[in-house]
């Protein structure tokens, strides 16, 4: 069994959500039980979408005109998801700024870690991290009260403009096939950072074996989807 | 009479749209006659709105969480205007990238010139330049075929989120009233740069007296609105 708690390279620990161990039934293998409370979920997701919006906007700013069209559209999609989640926070009578505040440094660190040195690395980062994390938070919404979880999943499942980004990356690799090896390597590093951010959203009971048993099937499936994302670029995962 | 063609300080000339002097009746004082053809108008406006979106996104990236909410909303409004204008370009059977291309360097230069060194300067720049230029292009739409011009004016007249930006700036000035003098000075420089960009969109007949006669009443009115914008911040225009 792969343990998701052992990082492939040393790094500073990410802050954890507060435990809700009283809710966890140790014998039941159920990923949904690892979901945080609704406010924490929405705060992290809202600020993460704002972060994706910022990252995509920044790549757009340094891209050529044709790519700007694709990227400004993708930025708009991330912003719409952010605003959708903010509306859900307000609907609960909570203040979006307060609810997002605990996740600012964690998400900012994640975005800094996953920022690339070139336009193509940044495009790959957006495609890989956003694709994985949207899927992850859709899965995690199963652990929230049913009607709410379904609404959040629907919000996050909306188009993110990934097809346009795939097209830009495929063109870039076509122009210079040497980029493929480097981007494949970047993809593996991005997966590692993304898994750690995803894990940080889970409320774990601290027993790594029982946590692993809950997490593994879902992460295995999300990683398979990640592999298909890399395949779509002609890259080895 | 103030001549809009004499800049208060030396700077590189902005590129001009092609002349359409054959359409200009020198004796009629009519601002609408200075409007460029529809494609040129849409190309410049589309790329300018994309630029506002980028500028606002960049300030959002370096702002605190509460300001990010205001700014991401304003960025979304600019992006919506951009997408609205792009849709109008497509509706004419034209390619948005080709139609925007001639204005990239002019707008990029303008955004570089009007970028500030601090968050507050950048907020002021967005508020002043976007406010003025949206008004200007709404006025200029009078010179386009009627039904189209009215649609573009309606697009540009949509909310830009200025109230939120005014609130951020008012708070900043309240915290440190010494900022008022500096921001008032910035506002005057921004007005100069903005007038030059606006002027570059006009198709002039090259006789500065007749051009001035057409431009002056409208620019006088737009500057009065600019003064009211500065007043709203408690700043001297």
């Amino acid at each position: 069994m792969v343990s998701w708690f052992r990082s492939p390279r040393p790094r500073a620990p990410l802050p954890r959500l507060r435990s809700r161990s009283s809710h966890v039934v140790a014998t039941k293998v159920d990923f949904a039980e690892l979901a945080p409370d609704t406010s924490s979920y929405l705060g992290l997701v809202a600020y993460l979408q704002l972060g994706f919006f910022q990252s995509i906007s920044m790549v757009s700013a340094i891209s050529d005109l044709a790519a700007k069209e694709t990227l400004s559209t993708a930025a708009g999609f991330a912003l719409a998801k952010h605003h959708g989640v903010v509306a859900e926070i307000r609907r609960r009578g909570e203040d979006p700024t307060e609810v997002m505040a605990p996740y600012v440094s964690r998400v900012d660190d994640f975005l800094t870690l996953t920022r690339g040195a070139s336009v193509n690395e940044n495009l790959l980062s957006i495609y890989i991290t956003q694709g994985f994390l949207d899927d992850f938070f859709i899965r995690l919404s199963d652990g929230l009260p049913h009607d709410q979880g379904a609404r959040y999943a629907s919000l996050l499942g909306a188009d993110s403009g990934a097809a346009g980004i795939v097209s830009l990356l495929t063109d870039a690799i076509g122009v210079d096939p040497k980029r493929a090896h480097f981007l494949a390597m970047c993809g593996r590093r991005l997966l590692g950072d993304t898994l750690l951010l995803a894990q940080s959203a889970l409320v774990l009971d601290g027993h790594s074996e029982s946590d692993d048993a809950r997490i593994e099937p879902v992460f295995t499936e999300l990683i398979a989807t990640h592999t298909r994302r890399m395949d779509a670029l002609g890259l080895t995962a």
Side-chain angles (χ1 to χ4, degrees), chain A:
Chain A
M1 184 194 289
V2 178
S3 174
W4 303 111
F5 303 94
R6 278 174 283 284
S7 171
R9 56 196 170 86
R11 68 185 76 208
L14 291 162
R16 295 290 175 85
L17 297 181
R18 72 179 187 285
S19 166
R20 50 162 209 187
S21 54
S22 59
H23 292 206
V24 175
V25 182
T27 50
K28 197 175 161 206
V29 177
D30 190 348
F31 180 70
E33 290 180 1
L34 304 177
D37 64 275
T38 304
S39 275
S40 302
Y41 176 93
L42 292 175
L44 176 52
V45 170
Y47 193 70
L48 185 63
Q49 295 297 333
L50 186 62
F52 287 142
F53 159 71
Q54 296 283 5
S55 296
I56 303 169
S57 301
M58 283 185 197
V59 190
S60 173
I62 55 168
S63 297
D64 65 26
L65 192 53
K68 269 188 208 300
E69 270 311 285
T70 299
L71 292 170
S72 69
T73 301
F77 287 143
L79 187 60
K81 290 184 189 185
H82 165 72
H83 284 146
V85 181
V86 161
E88 291 286 352
I89 294 170
R90 290 221 169 85
R91 187 172 173 163
R92 295 167 51 79
E94 295 179 317
D95 176 56
T97 302
E98 280 173 27
V99 171
M100 288 189 284
Y103 307 102
V104 168
S105 64
R106 191 194 309 182
V107 170
D108 284 353
D109 287 353
F110 170 72
L111 294 173
T112 303
L113 269 176
T114 56
R115 188 167 297 149
S118 69
V119 168
N120 290 323
E121 277 174 77
N122 280 303
L123 291 175
L124 184 73
S125 175
I126 290 157
Y127 172 58
I128 292 302
T129 63
Q130 190 181 36
F132 189 104
L133 290 169
D134 280 357
D135 282 355
F136 170 78
F137 283 105
I138 288 171
R139 285 301 305 257
L140 199 58
S141 72
D142 287 346
L144 303 176
H146 180 67
D147 59 325
Q148 294 166 34
R151 277 207 313 276
Y152 311 154
S154 161
L155 256 173
L156 293 178
D159 191 7
S160 61
I165 293 178
V166 166
S167 167
L168 292 173
L169 279 168
T170 307
D171 289 352
I173 294 167
V175 168
D176 182 1
K178 287 193 300 293
R179 285 176 177 148
H181 175 72
F182 176 67
L183 290 174
M185 198 178 66
C186 293
R188 289 188 279 276
R189 211 197 55 184
L190 288 166
L191 178 64
D193 290 325
T194 305
L195 285 167
L196 282 175
L197 184 78
Q199 181 203 303
S200 81
L202 300 175
V203 179
L204 305 173
D205 70 1
H207 300 288
S208 77
E209 292 236 343
S210 67
D211 287 337
D212 272 3
R214 284 179 178 81
I215 294 173
E216 200 202 346
V218 173
F219 274 33
T220 299
E221 183 193 307
L222 292 171
I223 290 167
T225 312
H226 164 79
T227 302
R228 285 195 290 278
R229 260 182 223 111
M230 296 295 278
D231 285 348
L233 300 175
L235 301 179
T236 318

